[in-house]
Amino acid sequence: MLLERIRSEGIAHISYLVGSDGIGAVIDPRRDCDEYLQIAREEDIEIELIFETHKHEDFVTGSLELSNGTGGEIYHGSALDFKFGRALEDGQSFELGGLSLRSINTPGHTDESISLVLAEAGGENLMVFTGDALFVGDVGRTDFMGPAEAGRLAGELYDSIHGRILPLGDGVILCPAHGAGSVCGSSINVREESTLGLERKLNPKLKMDRDEFIRFKSTEVLPKPPYFSVMERYNIEGPPSLGQLPVPSAVAPPELKKLVEEGAIIVDTRFPPSFSGAHIPGSLSIWFGGLPTVSGWVIPHNKPIVLVLANRTFAELATRFLVRLGYDDIRGYLCSGPEACGLEAWYVEGEPFGRLGVLSVHEFKNLLDSGSDLTLLDVRSEEGWREGHIPGSMNIYSGHLEDRMGGIPRDKPVVVVCNVGNRATHAASLLKREGFEDVSVILGGMIAWNAAGYPQDL
Amino acid sequence: MLLERIRSEGIAHISYLVGSDGIGAVIDPRRDCDEYLQIAREEDIEIELIFETHKHEDFVTGSLELSNGTGGEIYHGSALDFKFGRALEDGQSFELGGLSLRSINTPGHTDESISLVLAEAGGENLMVFTGDALFVGDVGRTDFMGPAEAGRLAGELYDSIHGRILPLGDGVILCPAHGAGSVCGSSINVREESTLGLERKLNPKLKMDRDEFIRFKSTEVLPKPPYFSVMERYNIEGPPSLGQLPVPSAVAPPELKKLVEEGAIIVDTRFPPSFSGAHIPGSLSIWFGGLPTVSGWVIPHNKPIVLVLANRTFAELATRFLVRLGYDDIRGYLCSGPEACGLEAWYVEGEPFGRLGVLSVHEFKNLLDSGSDLTLLDVRSEEGWREGHIPGSMNIYSGHLEDRMGGIPRDKPVVVVCNVGNRATHAASLLKREGFEDVSVILGGMIAWNAAGYPQDL
Amino acid sequence: MLLERIRSEGIAHISYLVGSDGIGAVIDPRRDCDEYLQIAREEDIEIELIFETHKHEDFVTGSLELSNGTGGEIYHGSALDFKFGRALEDGQSFELGGLSLRSINTPGHTDESISLVLAEAGGENLMVFTGDALFVGDVGRTDFMGPAEAGRLAGELYDSIHGRILPLGDGVILCPAHGAGSVCGSSINVREESTLGLERKLNPKLKMDRDEFIRFKSTEVLPKPPYFSVMERYNIEGPPSLGQLPVPSAVAPPELKKLVEEGAIIVDTRFPPSFSGAHIPGSLSIWFGGLPTVSGWVIPHNKPIVLVLANRTFAELATRFLVRLGYDDIRGYLCSGPEACGLEAWYVEGEPFGRLGVLSVHEFKNLLDSGSDLTLLDVRSEEGWREGHIPGSMNIYSGHLEDRMGGIPRDKPVVVVCNVGNRATHAASLLKREGFEDVSVILGGMIAWNAAGYPQDL
Amino acid sequence: MLLERIRSEGIAHISYLVGSDGIGAVIDPRRDCDEYLQIAREEDIEIELIFETHKHEDFVTGSLELSNGTGGEIYHGSALDFKFGRALEDGQSFELGGLSLRSINTPGHTDESISLVLAEAGGENLMVFTGDALFVGDVGRTDFMGPAEAGRLAGELYDSIHGRILPLGDGVILCPAHGAGSVCGSSINVREESTLGLERKLNPKLKMDRDEFIRFKSTEVLPKPPYFSVMERYNIEGPPSLGQLPVPSAVAPPELKKLVEEGAIIVDTRFPPSFSGAHIPGSLSIWFGGLPTVSGWVIPHNKPIVLVLANRTFAELATRFLVRLGYDDIRGYLCSGPEACGLEAWYVEGEPFGRLGVLSVHEFKNLLDSGSDLTLLDVRSEEGWREGHIPGSMNIYSGHLEDRMGGIPRDKPVVVVCNVGNRATHAASLLKREGFEDVSVILGGMIAWNAAGYPQDL
């Protein structure tokens, strides 16, 4: 028996390839599905079954792509009218090379959510693939259908977990669709391996009674990036076929300027000090590690994309990150020769560049103490802000900044802060694009602020 | 939190690297320890703790090697006088970046066997590293100290499992030192992932009561390769330092012949059809996949080794396999130029070569039916032979063949059979080396025999 | 400036990527053109020019494929009516990032043959890409249009070399389309790097005067595999588009048998001892290194192909070898699971297998001396045979064996010999497929025969 | 025959492995010699001969290292008393698998300089390895023994080239020890492949007559980094053994601060915008591509080194670059966890950081036009400065900056310029370390200045 966890960084998505006696099933595949094919080839496994535990909101499903490449049949829950694949009955079971894989309805995160139980043939349960119903240390969101439905869904999720999943047995291995860092849960544990027994004992959400659980989930506020609606449409109707992963090519400054005129978005993936030092005016800062998630908040799906990379070797991974969110029109990365990659290609031609102020926490503390008139903008989540922030700061989550920019005074300096500096730099690039002139960021952010022992408001 | 399983093929050994907040522990490291170092580097983990769950019998421990490379401290059970590392008290606990790692004495496989329990700081148990006490679907051997001690050890093992390990909780994840295919258990499950809850329900050995268990373990017969005693000496006294993995070089035929005169063993790792077609007279056939285990039965530790490979790209892995068993004097592999690798280097110089007869199951069935006077030698384990064999076959396990060769008539043809053909070819090479002249093997072995529907005796 | 030599093993083909200031030209690309694209990407070169020095006979051109992937323009000589690309005038010149690339007509190998001269802008000649006109130590063939034209072509080749190429200057670097081992020359030097000056001094063909040269070339006998005519058709009309290199998959024995019924050719790429030990009845032996050339003699272009490999890691390279010869219908390789690859997958199911006798030179010498009645078939080239052979041997080049098999007696044993044993085994597999029953090969071949000091006839 | 060019980036060093019939020679090996060993293994070549064409000044020789790993014998010129290897007589010849390798004395660059002529056995010359005597488009330096000797050496070099090398024949392939970008020549051609015939026609230094040549070489001014004297000592006495290439490890900020107290040099290898945005106060900026050369000007050989990298994947190559210059005490790279590599590890702990002003050429032009009182420091070579510079600029080559810093006013802003911005940032980091407070650099440098069409003085 083979169990492979295939992880997608950033969105902290986990998909699974289970194989037994040469037959394989993939659960919740991502769109760049070369890795499944390679494992299957090496292990001589025929992927016959492809399951969607639910309609994913945070990435484009790869099930059609994988089905094209393998001939595997796609299955999903019956409570939603998917335009592809087949609907599963509650309890429907599949043979998998001497084992069995049984679908059980576990609504709550969404109505059509299912879990898949791997069991010995006709016998004991071994593992359960819970999608977004149950995570390690957390449970799925119930807010996607709006506040009116959150209570109903929370009740159903409670029943699914306590009535259908936990009874599978303490010893059953838990295989959820997300790990720590995903926005699909607020506090998923950094430990990836777990069991139903461990969850029963350690998962704080499972210690609530039904009413408490419904109350908690009904009021839980979690970010919902605008791109989620695009993903939902793709994942119900079936996304466009990708075929081979696109290989981005070098784009020289003249071509880049032409693309910008045609509406292209320049995404600068370098670290904050680099963006701060020099960047193409109008470009968006999205630090490399933020590419798989932050992009979905700010990049429209109908615009071409050009990347600015610290090194061209990162082009492939950047492409994977974007393609997983449905951004297929990646025109390339700034480069004007093997020796002039990254921003050098730009400034060596005498093109003008922007800068961004950076402050250490000590410098900013001095500014504060000297009574400077400025706006301190904290772009972390509301939850993070509530747990502690610099006195006098205004909180707008970076993802909402474009909509709420009107509330920020344009006639005085704006200093942006987040945890480390990446998100602040991203937010600062949004402000600068909209014409804010005096913008700077605190490098080191709240972590450095706290390390320095400076005061926080709660 | 990070949990990495590092697997050693053939001996089906599993070692673990657990990391949390930059601090790491390795449990039961193997001797070629570059993989631990690489993961630690990539994940920015300092390996501070190295544990031996027991004195391994089937491979050379890598703890000294790994300690040299990392400065990590070595720990092991206190009931044996190891010449290196520190002895653990029962219940001794270590901090591991916010988690704890607790040693508990779990004697039975050996007296000094311990298990390590990973737990939340001051709280719930998460995983247990059981060494050779408890496997997925099986338990450790109790026969290594001889029949006189087997009963006592079996009782202790029962108490360790039922009294100390299972009470850790059904939801606890099981991390044993071996997977399916290891001689350290007779029937380890092909499913590698398990929990204490699953074992309680599914492991047949855990369903026996104490007396039944002791009876069963006291009479269990398992192979004990002669090299185990060398491993034990190494693992108590501390093996010689390996440093860098040796890189074997090409050996041309003249040099090979000189090495043979000095006592070198030629190990031919090609598949049976190749060995059958042509081989260096006197060479031992050990199919590549058998290298990590079969070698220990037939290669003395004080002789140099020369390999015959199907392709030179296999040289590194072959070296790892041998080094794990303490064979450090690998002189190289037959080759006389980039175009003449493998056996071609030999026969192109006009050197004489040996052949070995091969028979299909149909051809052998015809021989049988025609009443040919021959010895049919089945070299599978006694257990395998008992479960079904060709009528009239004589069973000597390949590992015992050198000792029991006297019982095989030299005046008539010997036909050797095993499951597939690899072990039979190995055994045939031992017979030919000792002067048997008319030796052949059944290609496809018992699997093909059964596929053809020919009769078996039970 | 960048000059990359891209070599194709077996056919000893050399193609070139020349780049300067971001602009690149490829000369005589092969069909699997990922390597050109990768170098271009890494070096940030735009491939704008693609040249065919002539209509290749020994492989499928990759110029259309490369043009599809890059937008580069294809150019070739004007004396042949190619169905794609543009015709070059004699002396036509292209800028290449500060250098120039000039086409000169150098007929002789074929009428449309050109050479390309790389020069400093408006100045000194640096390198010449001679295609099949001039090699290191040899010159191109003039026999492809038949004996009637060979004399005329030889005269033209003499004039092209002496009148157009050598005058470019002794210091000019020579870049031909083939290296040692190609059938496009009879005696190409193993030294790949050369200059016109070195050729003038060292190339024996350039020391002949015009008449001598024409006489020599008119009577030169070189092998012309039947697949050359397919290549010529492809290369004039434009071969089918390959797109991505096909990835062969595992084929289990039942599927393999079905494919054979549909006409598939089984190509066993293992070494002679392996084929000799056991093989699928009816399969063709083509040793791995012979795949790029020998295949073209014996595999029809309208049949599917299944491979038998020593190891599945060789599948990709085998595919490249075959695709270069226009064999696109590769169904996969024998395999029935990760543990049973290669021939084991076959015999473990009880399928019958063939064997082939092997003899050492000493054993064969004894047979000869004892007066055995047998046919000794030498399958090397006529030229090789003339330079020395075992007394009494009959010479049929392996490539002509299918046509001339009628001359070999079927009522007595056939022993096949070549240089080493690979080609003999290949020939033996052809004989066995046609029903010859008593066939064996001499392992080590003429090299071992001579090493043993046994007598030769000249 | 095999000829492999092994290139070392940055120092533009080329070493050669020549092999024939299994015997190999390496000419001018570098210190990290794993690549020679790997090629030798793959091609089944025994490296028996190792040659030093002269005592290298710009890198540490790898001949002892390679000899340790292969047993090959080291040879060098006799006119210098090396403490290792054997001295060659003029004309001494070695067999190399059917070819010959002949040493000829070619003094001029240094007294002990030799060239090696590869020839057919007893016959025609094929290639010449000229070390630092003759390059493509240039000749070796004659200034290393001081002005008093430069004339004598120039005369000898003229005689070596015209009297001994060029007469080998126009068709002979040229294999020098350096390519374009090396400080061992002032104008080596970007075309790497050449012949003696091409040099005779195209190399401008070979068109001078003897007097003209001596005059030119006697007055030629080329940079001589201070580390050259360390290299010379190493290369005469034999450098310390490296063994395995050191693998640098992560260094967290507290450890880094402790190392700095002990005298460690922090080398920040990120691009100018990144260094400009934020850097560790006191750190040296050396852009990654400048590491193999610039380091030798400013890093003392008795201090430990800590790196700041844009990405940890660059650690190995950075180590190679430094080890080639004899910097063996590399303590690691800044990092405090897998997620916080590079400078983030520093500022996230609230550590103070430095910044550096950057200006576009337009901004600087405005400053100039507005009559700002500042020092414009051009840190390119004197030669580059002479060919065109911004009016009013002061020229100090970056390598001489530490010695000549006294001449720069400390009471007004310093703006630093070079070609692109890398060297200017490096120089600015030197100034800031010495207490200059108002320092900025022009991003894009002279290339951007000229692209913008701004005026230059000549």
Side-chain angles (χ1 to χ4, degrees), chain B residues 116-437:
Chain B
L116 291 147
V117 184
L118 186 76
E120 303 225 311
E124 208 58 54
N125 302 320
L126 302 171
M127 300 178 186
V128 59
F129 302 91
T130 52
D132 278 18
L134 177 60
F135 300 123
V136 179
D138 204 349
V139 299
R141 296 172 61 165
T142 55
D143 61 333
F144 282 148
M145 296 178 72
E149 295 278 12
R152 174 183 68 80
L153 287 167
E156 292 190 7
L157 184 59
Y158 185 91
D159 296 340
S160 291
I161 293 173
H162 288 273
R164 310 210 71 183
I165 295 174
L166 291 183
L168 293 169
D170 271 8
V172 169
I173 294 164
L174 175 62
C175 298
H178 282 291
S182 165
V183 291
C184 294
S186 57
S187 53
I188 302 180
N189 204 300
V190 293
R191 168 174 47 86
E192 197 184 79
E193 313 220 6
S194 194
T195 61
L196 296 184
L198 289 177
E199 290 313 304
R200 210 169 40 76
K201 288 188 182 164
L202 296 170
N203 190 323
K205 311 288 165 66
L206 303 198
K207 290 179 177 158
M208 301 174 176
D209 68 24
R210 196 173 191 278
D211 287 347
E212 199 181 346
F213 184 83
I214 293 174
R215 248 189 336 268
F216 174 81
K217 295 299 288 182
S218 303
T219 57
E220 194 182 38
V221 176
L222 286 163
K224 190 181 169 193
Y227 83 101
F228 275 23
S229 58
V230 182
M231 299 300 96
E232 290 181 13
R233 183 163 45 76
Y234 271 160
N235 291 342
I236 290 172
E237 293 175 7
S241 172
L242 189 64
Q244 214 50 32
L245 190 76
V247 182
S249 56
V251 169
E255 190 186 344
L256 186 145
K257 289 197 282 186
K258 220 176 117 221
L259 286 168
V260 168
E261 277 168 29
E262 294 167 11
I265 307 287
I266 305 173
V267 179
D268 191 324
T269 67
R270 299 172 303 147
F271 284 115
S274 315
F275 188 84
S276 143
H279 58 259
I280 300 177
S283 62
L284 276 190
S285 164
I286 305 181
W287 74 107
F288 199 83
L291 220 44
T293 50
V294 172
S295 307
W297 289 90
V298 292
I299 308 179
H301 274 80
N302 58 353
K303 302 270 176 136
I305 296 174
V306 181
L307 297 160
V308 177
L309 301 167
N311 191 282
R312 70 164 69 197
T313 56
F314 303 142
E316 186 194 313
L317 189 53
T319 303
R320 288 185 187 269
F321 285 163
L322 292 172
V323 153
R324 287 175 194 160
L325 303 195
Y327 296 108
D328 294 1
D329 190 10
I330 306 165
R331 295 297 171 90
Y333 53 90
L334 174 65
C335 203
S336 68
E339 301 298 321
C341 216
L343 202 74
E344 182 182 312
W346 182 257
Y347 58 67
V348 87
E349 301 206 4
E351 297 290 349
F353 48 83
R355 270 153 302 188
L356 180 69
V358 289
L359 297 164
S360 73
V361 290
H362 316 292
E363 290 163 339
F364 181 70
K365 182 66 166 44
N366 288 342
L367 271 185
L368 268 196
D369 293 349
S370 68
S372 288
D373 186 25
L374 52 79
T375 304
L376 174 59
L377 179 67
D378 186 325
V379 293
R380 295 177 300 154
S381 68
E382 197 185 319
E383 197 185 17
W385 185 82
R386 277 207 190 116
E387 287 170 7
H389 53 263
I390 300 176
S393 65
M394 161 195 257
N395 177 234
I396 304 178
Y397 178 62
S398 66
H400 302 140
L401 188 57
E402 284 186 293
D403 290 343
R404 306 197 194 152
M405 218 172 261
I408 305 169
R410 287 177 173 260
D411 56 355
K412 52 183 181 173
V414 183
V415 176
V416 195
V417 71
C418 63
N419 265 322
V420 164
N422 294 324
R423 188 175 293 277
T425 304
H426 164 64
S429 77
L430 291 171
L431 292 171
K432 290 197 73 177
R433 190 171 67 170
E434 293 306 316
F436 283 79
E437 281 178 8

Side-chain angles (χ1 to χ4, degrees), chain A residues 270-278 310-311 313-314 341 343-344 347-353 355 357-363 419-422 443-445 447-449 451-452, chain D residues 270-278 310-311 313-314 341 343-344 347-353 355 357-363 419-422 443-445 447-449 451-452:
Chain A
R270 299 171 305 146
F271 284 115
S274 315
F275 187 84
S276 145
N311 191 281
T313 55
F314 303 142
C341 216
L343 202 73
E344 183 182 310
Y347 59 67
V348 86
E349 302 207 3
E351 297 290 349
F353 49 82
R355 270 152 302 189
V358 290
L359 297 163
S360 73
V361 290
H362 316 295
E363 290 163 339
N419 267 322
V420 164
N422 293 325
L443 271 192
I447 298 182
W449 183 265
Chain D
R270 299 171 305 148
F271 284 114
S274 315
F275 188 83
S276 144
N311 191 283
T313 55
F314 303 142
C341 215
L343 202 72
E344 183 182 310
Y347 58 67
V348 88
E349 303 207 0
E351 298 290 350
F353 49 82
R355 271 153 301 189
V358 289
L359 297 164
S360 73
V361 290
H362 316 294
E363 290 163 338
N419 265 323
V420 164
N422 294 326
L443 272 192
I447 298 181
W449 184 264

Side-chain angles (χ1 to χ4, degrees), chain B residues 270-274 276-278 310-311 314 344 347-350 353 355 358-360 362-363 420 422 443-444 447-448 451, chain C residues 270-274 276-278 310-311 314 344 347-350 353 355 358-360 362-363 420 422 443-444 447-448 451:
Chain B
R270 299 172 303 147
F271 284 115
S274 315
S276 143
N311 191 282
F314 303 142
E344 182 182 312
Y347 58 67
V348 87
E349 301 206 4
F353 48 83
R355 270 153 302 188
V358 289
L359 297 164
S360 73
H362 316 292
E363 290 163 339
V420 164
N422 294 324
L443 271 192
I447 298 181
Chain C
R270 299 171 304 146
F271 284 115
S274 316
S276 143
N311 191 281
F314 303 141
E344 183 182 311
Y347 57 69
V348 86
E349 301 206 3
F353 49 83
R355 271 153 301 189
V358 290
L359 297 164
S360 73
H362 316 293
E363 290 163 337
V420 164
N422 294 324
L443 271 192
I447 298 181

Side-chain angles (χ1 to χ4, degrees), chain A residues 251-262 334-336 345-346 349 351:
Chain A
V251 170
E255 190 186 345
L256 184 146
K257 289 197 283 186
K258 217 174 121 224
L259 286 168
V260 168
E261 277 167 29
E262 295 167 8
L334 174 65
C335 203
S336 68
W346 182 257
E349 302 207 3
E351 297 290 349

Side-chain angles (χ1 to χ4, degrees), chain A residues 292-314:
Chain A
T293 52
V294 172
S295 307
W297 289 89
V298 293
I299 308 179
H301 274 79
N302 58 354
K303 302 269 176 137
I305 295 173
V306 182
L307 297 161
V308 177
L309 301 167
N311 191 281
R312 73 165 67 198
T313 55
F314 303 142

Side-chain angles (χ1 to χ4, degrees), chain D residues 32 39 54 95 105 144 153 220 233 276 297 382 402 418:
Chain D
D32 50 322
I39 298 171
H54 64 292
E95 265 192 63
N105 289 353
F144 281 148
L153 287 166
E220 194 183 35
R233 182 164 46 76
S276 144
W297 288 91
E382 198 184 322
E402 284 186 292
C418 62

Side-chain angles (χ1 to χ4, degrees), chain C residues 57-58 132 135 139-141 144 178 182-186 188 228:
Chain C
E57 299 85 12
D58 56 331
D132 278 18
F135 300 122
V139 300
R141 295 171 62 165
F144 282 147
H178 283 290
S182 166
V183 291
C184 294
S186 58
I188 302 180
F228 275 23

